[in-house]
Amino acid sequence: MESKQIQPEKEQIQNDRTTIRLPMLLGLTLAGGVLLGASFFGGTKGLNNIGRGYSKYKEILQLIENNYVDSVDTDDLVDFSITKMLEKLDPHTAYLNPVDAVAARSQLEGGFDGIGVEFNIYKDTVYVVTPLAGGPSETAGIQSGDKILKVDETPLTGKNVDNSTVYKAMRGKRGTDVRLTILSKGQQQPRQITLTRDRIPTYAVDAAYMVDGETGYLKVNRFSDSAFEEFRTALNALKQQGMKQLVLDLRNNPGGYLDRATNMADEFIDGNKLLVYTDGKDDRYDRKYFAKTAGQFEDGALIVLIDEGSASASEILAGALQDHDRGYIVGRRSFGKGLVQMPVQLSDGSELRLTISRYYTPAGRSIQKPYVPGQEGDYEKELDLRSKRGEYYIADSIKNDPKKVFKTDKGRTVYGGGGITPDYFVPRDSSWQTAYLGKLYAKNIIREYALEYANDNRKRLEKLPFAEFDKAVNLTDDQLSAMTKQATAEGVTYNAAEFNRSKDYIRTQTKALIARYIFQKSNRAGQNNEFYRIANTSDNTYTKALSLFDKARQLEFGPKQVGMKK
């Protein structure tokens, strides 16, 4: 995976681990959301109603092409005009040019063609964080810490190098060759390696491990092509290890394909219960989805973690579980994305993602938050408004519409019209968030220290099972001091008070990253279990959830025992 992993940076001010992915994830949410394949629908309506407008538009383009004083690219004009036209509709209908369409689809496909490295740009240089297991780079012997100086004739050093430059250079059609100029640690002269690009898988399940003898943890990062198969395999593996209760983590999951979400819901919900339905202006797009198979985990306590980054397909799954009193929802109110897009590939490779219906949970809730057509900017700022009114920290700040009250199967009150409100609210933990920590992440100090530590101790640590690794790696205050000195050398002014406030978090995150670098080669299913085993210990939503299984088990007894808590 040619990817630049950027730790805590989600809301630029807070720089916490739960917030770093939000810009990327919201981009996926706003451009994609819940997707239904275009082949799922058929037929078109006549163009009589738009014929006059089309003729006018064509006439204006022709006049510009023939008579405008300067040369213009009419293709650019067309793209711009389409984009501006769609802004008059809902915030999720979108036009993607051919390049952007390929990039957006790759987010939900099961992989891409490339050389198989995770990289990081540090000091104007591209470093290999890790070669991905089984990929061309690992096969060629590329190591963590290697510098990639050049790809073919494209230099990858200097102030102008950025992610897009690296992606463009490394990715390409499978079977094609690419020549890398590599400088390894301890070597004076670079060497050249020729690789053959191959298919690099991407994964939807970040982690699946046993917390204790009966509690499983499973984190899904998106509802991509391969998401359900990965999920089902992981769920089965946990059951084989004796799982009796499960934490399903959907935080910062922006959505994806609708049927992956309903298939997952079917693994938890028995009988032939309704899971979700869609309703649009055209009844061709009206569908109802029901449970239809005997799921792997229809019995057993289930806790689902959500937050403001959980959107679309995540809300379908969480909403179905909540409405049928099958899962206890923990965290913060979800994004509120309840519009369904049909992706239509156009003749030149561009794509129109057209909103064709709304989806509703089994109880009849529309989770779509309010929006004003043509005011997409205000819509995108809605998460900032939640922050300003204190919703991330105080449950009573959640503004549910009292006119949109619904009941679950057992009579519990739930709300529509603005995301999924959790059954148990857990505030965002900002106790460790400081400006100094943000600067450490901005300079990649924590990542680089963890990578150097892993490389310096790799031979010893790779021999250890995780339990022994967990005991053996405990960063001392002297080691953290060395990190801050490195940061000072990189221009980050030391702030003792802020460092002490963030110190425990820094220690945990650094150790988690070290675990990731040490164990990643053994995680051939794409999971980062060792990273999350450590990182989750400082996650207040996760740790609180582990204490709430009694609440989850009480769901079967109805609303008197279970309600919104804070």
Side-chain angles (χ1 to χ4, degrees):
M1 180 193 318
E2 281 73 79
S3 65
K4 181 184 178 185
Q5 296 279 334
I6 305 176
Q7 284 301 91
E9 165 216 308
K10 171 169 125 188
E11 285 181 4
Q12 297 293 332
I13 297 176
Q14 300 287 0
N15 289 296
D16 69 330
R17 179 165 59 83
T18 62
T19 54
I20 63 174
R21 299 172 60 203
L22 191 57
M24 179 272 288
L25 293 174
L26 285 186
L28 180 59
T29 298
L30 296 174
V34 181
L35 297 179
L36 297 176
S39 60
F40 188 80
F41 306 94
T44 59
K45 292 188 175 182
L47 298 179
N48 292 335
N49 293 337
I50 61 172
R52 286 175 296 180
Y54 170 76
S55 297
K56 182 192 298 184
Y57 184 66
K58 180 179 179 182
E59 183 179 2
I60 291 174
L61 277 179
Q62 191 68 54
L63 288 168
I64 293 172
E65 176 72 19
N66 294 338
N67 303 297
Y68 186 67
V69 62
D70 297 319
S71 297
V72 295
D73 187 330
T74 52
D75 286 341
D76 284 347
L77 289 179
V78 170
D79 285 356
F80 178 78
S81 60
I82 292 173
T83 299
K84 298 303 289 185
M85 173 179 64
L86 298 183
E87 288 179 2
K88 293 292 186 181
L89 305 179
D90 67 276
H92 299 288
T93 293
Y95 168 78
L96 305 175
N97 64 42
V99 174
D100 290 342
V102 170
R105 284 194 295 271
S106 72
Q107 295 287 336
L108 293 176
E109 291 175 351
F112 59 89
D113 295 346
I115 67 170
V117 295
E118 182 182 324
F119 70 89
N120 186 34
I121 300 174
Y122 180 62
K123 295 182 180 179
D124 300 328
T125 302
V126 177
Y127 286 82
V128 174
V129 172
T130 186
L132 299 188
S137 295
E138 183 192 46
T139 302
I142 292 176
Q143 299 290 323
S144 298
D146 285 352
K147 300 177 183 178
I148 304 178
L149 305 180
K150 187 185 293 187
V151 176
D152 291 327
E153 299 305 317
T154 301
L156 294 184
T157 58
K159 294 183 178 180
N160 293 326
V161 65
D162 57 20
N163 287 342
S164 61
T165 303
V166 180
Y167 290 141
K168 185 176 181 181
M170 291 184 180
R171 294 189 180 184
K173 188 176 181 181
R174 78 183 75 176
T176 59
D177 290 339
V178 59
R179 186 176 69 257
L180 273 60
T181 302
I182 301 288
L183 180 62
S184 296
K185 187 175 182 180
Q187 301 295 315
Q188 299 298 317
Q189 297 296 325
R191 70 187 192 279
Q192 290 190 341
I193 300 175
T194 298
L195 304 178
T196 300
R197 295 182 177 97
D198 201 354
R199 189 66 173 172
I200 309 300
T202 56
Y203 299 97
V205 173
D206 280 338
Y209 65 83
M210 292 296 291
V211 180
D212 54 37
E214 63 178 15
T215 306
Y217 172 80
L218 202 162
K219 181 174 178 60
V220 181
N221 64 55
R222 71 192 67 186
F223 292 85
S224 60
D225 252 349
S226 62
F228 178 61
E229 289 304 318
E230 290 182 53
F231 167 82
R232 186 165 59 177
T233 300
L235 190 63
N236 180 64
L238 293 175
K239 287 195 66 179
Q240 294 300 316
Q241 297 174 65
M243 180 185 69
K244 297 179 181 178
Q245 54 191 28
L246 174 66
V247 175
L248 176 62
D249 194 343
L250 300 180
R251 290 175 296 173
N252 285 315
N253 182 322
Y257 294 116
L258 174 63
D259 63 340
R260 275 54 167 192
T262 55
N263 287 341
M264 288 187 195
D266 202 357
E267 292 295 307
F268 299 112
I269 296 173
D270 61 9
N272 62 345
K273 296 174 182 175
L274 180 65
L275 302 177
V276 68
Y277 65 94
T278 61
D279 183 42
K281 179 175 67 176
D282 191 321
D283 59 13
R284 289 178 300 160
Y285 307 142
D286 297 347
R287 294 290 187 275
K288 291 184 177 181
Y289 298 82
F290 295 90
K292 55 187 177 182
T293 62
Q296 293 186 69
F297 199 69
E298 292 182 352
D299 296 305
L302 174 63
I303 289 176
V304 183
L305 307 185
I306 62 170
D307 65 7
E308 57 279 355
S310 307
S312 61
S314 293
E315 295 170 298
I316 288 176
L317 177 52
L321 294 171
Q322 189 177 49
D323 283 4
H324 289 307
D325 299 292
R326 177 64 190 93
Y328 193 57
I329 312 300
V330 174
R332 296 186 295 277
R333 184 164 64 99
S334 62
F335 184 84
K337 198 284 183 184
L339 298 175
V340 184
Q341 280 71 56
M342 176 175 66
V344 183
Q345 189 165 346
L346 305 179
S347 58
D348 65 345
S350 58
E351 186 172 285
L352 173 65
R353 294 193 171 183
L354 181 65
T355 297
I356 44 82
S357 60
R358 290 178 171 82
Y359 77 76
Y360 296 83
T361 71
R365 291 186 285 167
S366 170
I367 300 171
Q368 177 62 43
K369 59 188 174 184
Y371 65 88
V372 178
Q375 296 185 21
E376 183 177 338
D378 290 341
Y379 178 90
E380 293 177 0
K381 294 176 182 176
E382 192 266 343
L383 293 180
D384 290 334
L385 295 177
R386 295 190 196 185
S387 179
K388 290 177 181 178
R389 65 174 175 253
E391 183 175 324
Y392 296 145
Y393 305 98
I394 303 171
D396 290 340
S397 297
I398 298 175
K399 301 299 182 184
N400 287 311
D401 189 339
K403 297 180 181 179
K404 297 179 179 179
V405 175
F406 298 82
K407 296 294 183 180
T408 68
D409 289 354
K410 297 294 179 63
R412 293 187 299 140
T413 297
V414 289
Y415 295 91
I420 298 291
T421 299
D423 300 312
Y424 194 103
F425 175 82
V426 181
R428 181 185 290 176
D429 182 9
S430 60
S431 61
W432 45 265
Q433 297 173 8
T434 62
Y436 182 73
L437 176 63
K439 292 174 183 177
L440 292 181
Y441 277 117
K443 289 286 188 178
N444 285 318
I445 301 298
I446 296 175
R447 174 180 296 278
E448 291 304 316
Y449 185 88
L451 182 57
E452 289 179 10
Y453 185 103
N455 287 337
D456 291 343
N457 296 276
R458 186 173 298 278
K459 291 182 179 179
R460 173 175 63 92
L461 296 178
E462 283 185 335
K463 298 176 183 178
L464 302 179
F466 174 75
E468 293 184 24
F469 169 94
D470 195 25
K471 295 177 181 178
V473 178
N474 290 290
L475 298 173
T476 65
D477 286 351
D478 287 343
Q479 288 171 317
L480 293 183
S481 179
M483 182 192 298
T484 62
K485 290 178 181 177
Q486 179 180 339
T488 301
E490 291 298 316
V492 180
T493 302
Y494 180 67
N495 184 309
E498 293 188 359
F499 169 73
N500 287 328
R501 179 176 162 185
S502 302
K503 184 168 66 173
D504 288 343
Y505 179 83
I506 294 171
R507 196 192 310 271
T508 302
Q509 286 297 298
T510 305
K511 181 177 177 178
L513 286 169
I514 294 169
R516 184 169 181 263
Y517 299 144
I518 293 297
F519 289 98
Q520 189 169 41
K521 287 186 179 180
S522 63
N523 290 328
R524 293 183 179 270
Q527 296 171 12
N528 290 291
N529 291 334
E530 294 78 13
F531 173 88
Y532 283 100
R533 281 180 183 272
I534 296 170
N536 279 343
T537 61
S538 64
D539 183 333
N540 68 321
T541 302
Y542 169 88
T543 54
K544 185 61 184 179
L546 295 179
S547 71
L548 296 173
F549 277 107
D550 284 345
K551 298 286 187 184
R553 280 187 285 270
Q554 288 171 9
L555 281 177
E556 62 183 298
F557 299 116
K560 292 184 179 180
Q561 286 76 25
V562 183
M564 174 69 169
K565 302 295 183 182
K566 55 187 177 182

